[in-house]
Amino acid sequence: MMKTTLKMLVINVLLLCLCHVSTAAVVKSNEQQRWTYIVHMAKSAMPASFEHHLHWYDSSLKSVSDSAEMIYTYENVIHGFSTRLTAKQAQLLESQPGILFVLPELKYELHTTRTPQFLGLDKNTDLLPESNSESDVIIGVLDTGVWPESKSFDDTGLGPIPSSWKGACESGTNFTASNCNRKLIGARYFSKGYEGTLGPIDTSKESRSPRDDDGHGTHTSTTAAGSVVQDANLFDYAKGTARGMATRARVAAYKVCWLGGCFSSDILAAMEKAIEDNVNVISMSLGGGMSEYYRDSVAIGAFSAMEKGIFVSCSAGNAGPSPYSLSNQAPWITTVGAGTIDRDFPAYVSLGNGKNFSGVSLYQGNSLPGKLLPFVYAGNASNATNGNLCMIGTLIPEKVAGKIVLCDRGVNSRVQKGSVAKDAGALGMVLANTAANGEELVADAHLLPATAVGEKNGDIIKSYLFTDPNPTVAILFEGTKVGIQPSPVVAAFSSRGPNSITPEILKPDIIAPGVNILAGWSGNVGPTGLSIDDRRVGFNIISGTSMSCPHVSGLAALVKAEHQDWSPAAIRSALMTTAYTVYKSGQKLQDVSTGKPATPLDYGSGHVDPVAALDPGLVYDLTADDYLNFACALKYSAAQISSMAGRNFTCGASKTYSVTDLNYPSFSVVLTGTGSSVGNGSSVPKYTRTVTNVGSPGTYKVSISSESPLVKIRVEPESLSFSSINEKKSYTVTFTTTGSLPSNSNSFARLEWTDGKHTVGSPIAFSWT
């Protein structure tokens, strides 16, 4: 008995020791866990004892860690470096003199030929001459890299690489300097931040080089500036001549996105190089989070680029139609939402009861038998609670084999659902939208005969499935149809305002084609992106604000070529104030998610009109200091402004700053309470704007249209006369509210200046809180 007790005591002591060791190991592990941080330094605060700022950076880092190394050093986008530290080391480092912020790295995510015709670029050769100035414009695309063999990078007819170009074509896995040419003039890759977090890149799965194994980067870069390619198509869909928006502009690819995402240290390093390389436009179809501007790496990098005269275009995000769903909200970024074009790919669902329903598909392969086939709902062919979604392993083969299966949209990818159905023995698939996607239809190159239908049609089809004892169905593929009306309509997935960081700045700025867009593709992946898809295509059709962003990037390049001395703000203003918000019929642009008229919170200033943007008449210009005054109005500290701007800037103690003073081409008026009170305490808010004449001499007269009887709008003066180019004139807009105001509501108005030839439009969004 005594031996047993002693034995138990020893075991308990051992267990207690093991628990103690285990707990200590966990604590120790947590304390030693390293993360990537971006260190913002106040370069002007460098002690005189250091000869070079890099020595100072290194000394600061070594003071908290003997082993930590700098991943990247930054000169243009910020002053500072990135490194890997423990949380305690990062805290110690941030407490040192001269260090502004030590910010944890963030992960960003990626947010796609008929658009030239749809935008009117094919019918206006007199307005859009192919000039040498266009071939001097360089578009830097930060994405998944580039597939240099794409026909869209053919450099036939292009002259020498612009002398302004300072970039390089980097070698790496499956990529050499010889892959670049006079069209694709540069290619770099940035992986140190990614590898620091997730480990070395597996080169059996992706190329440690600028090569695009994903397709997204090739699609965006060729959308912006792809060369003219005859007979482009995807499985004979969308057949025609493919071309980017600026066919003679040069492309520089910066690979920042990998299988595990896009990391902020790599994005900043790429923007750093793009600025050094002398690009004219930066296009980024990525985003993540809604951080304050001084904490957002994309916003910080974009500020530095803007200050050096580089136009920055970013995607709004694909989180629509929810409000407050925008990414990339900084006012110095051009934020782009997505609309449809007038082309569709119809594939009809024909039920056994004789009823037909329209859908869309890019399927090209073996045809279905020319007869009605048995039809089953996925939720009734599965034992899983989410079987209706056709998740991997959820369908019972005996219940779907030889049939067409209806799957609900959601959670897993649309094309993967078809793959699951095919693996279970289904002959085809009908993909039905749920309330989350409504009536928005996105075409896919499915692996089996399949079509996608909207929520309303899906509900009717499911009702038939649930009530008919022997349901049957056929799918009829109709190819490519053009002239679809109304178009454009705002895509349901396109992220919406209001601006969650600064409600007084209306975002998105503009919409552009982003649904079912044909452009170049990678030779390393099939059109669905699934590993089991062994098809290879030169062009692919995909959708997203990732596709609308490079449209605007390319159009900005056209405007830049025509007006080489214009600032990024002037170029954006030209695109915004000439955008349209009504169809030729006079009806308002529609929102596919509601089937009702869209609003400026959906489309910003409207849908881009590149021909009109080349001759806007007037522009709203802005300088870097204007944006810094805006930061003062946000009550940013000196350290926050320095972190964002990369230089010291002092907000005047005696000066009054207001976010409404920013010379933006659109208006967002935030009202609070009842009567005539507003957020800044002024009973009658006044907005001052200054316009610059970039056209011929003339007199512009103002007009106002408003849907809100509760807000009186007065513009003074009501006319502006210009006698010379670059002449500036200012006007004020006074908003007076009357009566009780509904809380948490919005209404809209529009202000236009016209001289009979030009119409300079500005949306006005009112919000009551």
Side-chain angles (χ1 to χ4, degrees):
M1 177 72 180
M2 189 171 179
K3 286 184 178 180
T4 304
T5 304
L6 183 61
K7 185 178 180 181
M8 290 300 298
L9 180 61
V10 170
I11 290 173
N12 286 334
V13 169
L14 284 172
L15 285 173
L16 285 169
C17 289
L18 286 172
C19 289
H20 175 73
V21 170
S22 175
T23 303
V26 170
V27 171
K28 187 175 181 182
S29 174
N30 286 339
E31 287 179 350
Q32 293 179 343
Q33 178 68 47
R34 292 174 180 257
W35 289 271
T36 301
Y37 292 90
I38 298 171
V39 183
H40 294 247
M41 307 286 286
K43 191 175 179 181
S44 61
M46 183 180 77
S49 57
F50 293 99
E51 293 183 2
H52 194 275
H53 64 277
L54 291 181
H55 299 156
W56 178 39
Y57 295 174
D58 185 63
S59 175
S60 300
L61 180 58
K62 290 294 186 286
S63 71
V64 299
S65 172
D66 293 331
S67 59
E69 296 181 354
M70 288 186 280
I71 300 172
Y72 295 108
T73 58
Y74 307 104
E75 278 296 296
N76 294 305
V77 288
I78 65 167
H79 295 304
F81 59 94
S82 51
T83 187
R84 290 184 64 75
L85 298 169
T86 66
K88 186 176 181 179
Q89 289 168 343
Q91 189 176 16
L92 286 172
L93 185 60
E94 192 169 33
S95 67
Q96 292 188 9
I99 295 180
L100 299 170
F101 293 101
V102 179
L103 301 178
E105 178 163 68
L106 297 176
K107 187 171 79 168
Y108 291 73
E109 302 292 345
L110 294 166
H111 282 163
T112 154
T113 294
R114 181 169 172 80
T115 51
Q117 295 97 315
F118 182 66
L119 294 171
L121 297 180
D122 62 325
K123 300 174 183 177
N124 293 278
T125 52
D126 55 329
L127 294 172
L128 295 160
E130 289 193 348
S131 63
N132 288 332
S133 58
E134 183 184 332
S135 64
D136 287 337
V137 179
I138 303 164
I139 303 175
V141 182
L142 276 65
D143 213 296
T144 64
V146 67
W147 189 260
E149 293 81 8
S150 170
K151 293 180 181 178
S152 296
F153 295 118
D154 185 352
D155 64 356
T156 301
L158 284 174
I161 293 171
S163 59
S164 62
W165 174 243
K166 307 299 180 187
C169 195
E170 295 179 352
S171 297
T173 312
N174 304 317
F175 201 96
T176 67
S178 63
N179 286 122
C180 291
N181 59 14
R182 290 172 301 180
K183 180 66 174 179
L184 177 64
I185 63 173
R188 298 182 185 270
Y189 68 99
F190 302 84
S191 61
K192 293 178 182 178
Y194 173 86
E195 290 180 299
T197 300
L198 297 179
I201 287 168
D202 184 348
T203 53
S204 68
K205 295 180 180 178
E206 56 183 334
S207 302
R208 195 175 186 276
S209 75
R211 182 165 292 280
D212 179 16
D213 302 302
D214 177 273
H216 192 276
T218 301
H219 201 282
T220 55
S221 56
T222 57
T223 296
S227 301
V228 175
V229 180
Q230 307 291 336
D231 198 31
N233 65 90
L234 172 64
F235 303 137
D236 282 335
Y237 286 100
K239 196 169 185 178
T241 300
R243 50 159 289 180
M245 298 299 97
T247 58
R248 295 178 62 80
R250 317 296 179 131
V251 173
Y254 299 84
K255 183 175 180 179
V256 297
C257 295
W258 307 84
L259 285 175
C262 325
F263 288 78
S264 54
S265 60
D266 292 329
I267 293 170
L268 277 176
M271 298 182 81
E272 175 92 9
K273 279 298 182 185
I275 292 170
E276 287 181 10
D277 292 346
N278 273 347
V279 303
N280 305 107
V281 174
I282 290 178
S283 184
M284 292 188 287
S285 293
L286 50 83
M290 298 175 186
S291 304
E292 287 285 347
Y293 307 131
Y294 65 88
R295 299 181 67 91
D296 182 341
S297 292
V298 168
I300 291 168
F303 188 95
S304 297
M306 170 276 301
E307 192 163 20
K308 293 172 176 64
I310 301 169
F311 180 94
V312 181
S313 173
C314 291
S315 48
N318 299 332
S322 301
Y324 296 100
S325 54
L326 288 158
S327 294
N328 302 313
Q329 300 172 76
W332 48 89
I333 291 173
T334 299
T335 310
V336 188
T340 65
I341 61 174
D342 64 341
R343 180 180 63 196
D344 211 350
F345 309 101
Y348 294 92
V349 177
S350 181
L351 300 180
N353 61 7
K355 294 183 178 180
N356 297 314
F357 302 91
S358 60
V360 296
S361 180
L362 296 169
Y363 172 74
Q364 182 69 23
N366 296 328
S367 300
L368 289 167
K371 61 179 182 180
L372 292 167
L373 295 169
F375 196 17
V376 63
Y377 179 53
N380 294 334
S382 172
N383 291 325
T385 56
N386 60 352
N388 62 308
L389 297 175
C390 295
M391 307 282 282
I392 293 175
T394 60
L395 295 180
I396 300 171
E398 293 78 12
K399 293 190 176 184
V400 299
K403 301 177 182 179
I404 291 179
V405 60
L406 185 144
C407 303
D408 284 325
R409 185 172 169 182
V411 184
N412 58 336
S413 75
R414 301 181 300 270
V415 290
Q416 188 182 68
K417 295 175 189 290
S419 174
V420 170
K422 184 178 180 181
D423 289 346
L427 296 181
M429 176 183 72
V430 174
L431 179 62
N433 280 2
T434 60
N437 303 102
E439 301 310 305
E440 178 174 76
L441 298 180
V442 178
D444 293 298
H446 292 283
L447 293 168
L448 83 171
T451 186
V453 298
E455 180 192 13
K456 293 176 183 176
N457 285 345
D459 288 346
I460 297 172
I461 293 169
K462 278 184 271 191
S463 177
Y464 165 74
L465 270 171
F466 298 153
T467 57
D468 194 291
N470 296 296
T472 56
V473 68
I475 302 175
L476 309 172
F477 300 94
E478 296 293 317
T480 304
K481 302 292 183 183
V482 296
I484 304 298
Q485 297 299 330
S487 63
V489 296
V490 179
F493 62 75
S494 186
S495 290
R496 317 299 173 95
N499 185 326
S500 61
I501 299 175
T502 318
E504 295 85 357
I505 302 297
L506 182 63
K507 290 281 182 173
D509 292 308
I510 206 165
I511 63 168
V515 178
N516 296 334
I517 304 300
L518 180 80
W521 197 245
S522 168
N524 265 6
V525 65
T528 63
L530 297 178
S531 60
I532 60 172
D533 188 355
D534 58 5
R535 300 172 296 178
R536 295 295 179 264
V537 297
F539 291 85
N540 198 12
I541 296 172
I542 57 178
S543 301
T545 56
S546 279
M547 287 62 252
S548 53
C549 167
H551 276 87
V552 167
S553 304
L555 297 176
L558 290 180
V559 178
K560 177 71 174 178
E562 188 71 14
H563 304 283
Q564 297 175 45
D565 60 337
W566 282 13
S567 69
I571 294 172
R572 177 182 57 202
S573 174
L575 293 167
M576 289 173 66
T577 62
T578 58
Y580 60 91
T581 60
V582 296
Y583 302 112
K584 292 178 180 178
S585 65
Q587 298 296 310
K588 294 180 179 179
L589 293 190
Q590 297 293 298
D591 178 359
V592 73
S593 69
T594 62
K596 298 176 181 179
T599 76
L601 294 178
D602 308 320
Y603 56 60
S605 290
H607 191 282
V608 65
D609 181 348
V611 177
L614 289 173
D615 182 22
L618 306 174
V619 295
Y620 295 80
D621 209 354
L622 284 162
T623 67
D625 280 1
D626 291 324
Y627 293 118
L628 293 178
N629 287 331
F630 167 80
C632 292
L634 295 177
K635 302 190 184 306
Y636 280 5
S637 68
Q640 291 167 344
I641 293 176
S642 180
S643 172
M644 186 182 79
R647 59 185 170 94
N648 292 331
F649 184 85
T650 303
C651 301
S654 60
K655 186 175 179 180
T656 301
Y657 296 93
S658 172
V659 292
T660 63
D661 288 339
L662 190 68
N663 198 41
Y664 217 67
S666 57
F667 296 84
S668 180
V669 184
V670 180
L671 306 166
T672 60
T674 60
S676 56
S677 63
V678 296
N680 63 5
S682 170
S683 60
V684 182
K686 286 187 178 182
Y687 287 61
T688 300
R689 292 290 190 268
T690 300
V691 287
T692 304
N693 179 42
V694 293
S696 53
T699 297
Y700 286 79
K701 295 184 177 180
V702 73
S703 64
I704 297 286
S705 58
S706 177
E707 65 179 45
S708 176
L710 296 177
V711 183
K712 291 179 62 178
I713 305 170
R714 186 173 78 255
V715 180
E716 295 179 305
E718 295 182 349
S719 66
L720 300 171
S721 294
F722 298 91
S723 58
S724 61
I725 195 80
N726 292 327
E727 184 179 0
K728 297 180 182 292
K729 290 287 178 73
S730 297
Y731 67 92
T732 61
V733 189
T734 304
F735 301 100
T736 307
T737 58
T738 59
S740 298
L741 307 178
S743 61
N744 300 314
S745 61
N746 301 96
S747 65
F748 308 95
R750 186 169 179 82
L751 180 154
E752 291 184 347
W753 292 96
T754 181
D755 65 348
K757 177 184 177 183
H758 307 93
T759 298
V760 185
S762 295
I764 303 171
F766 299 106
S767 59
W768 284 278
T769 59

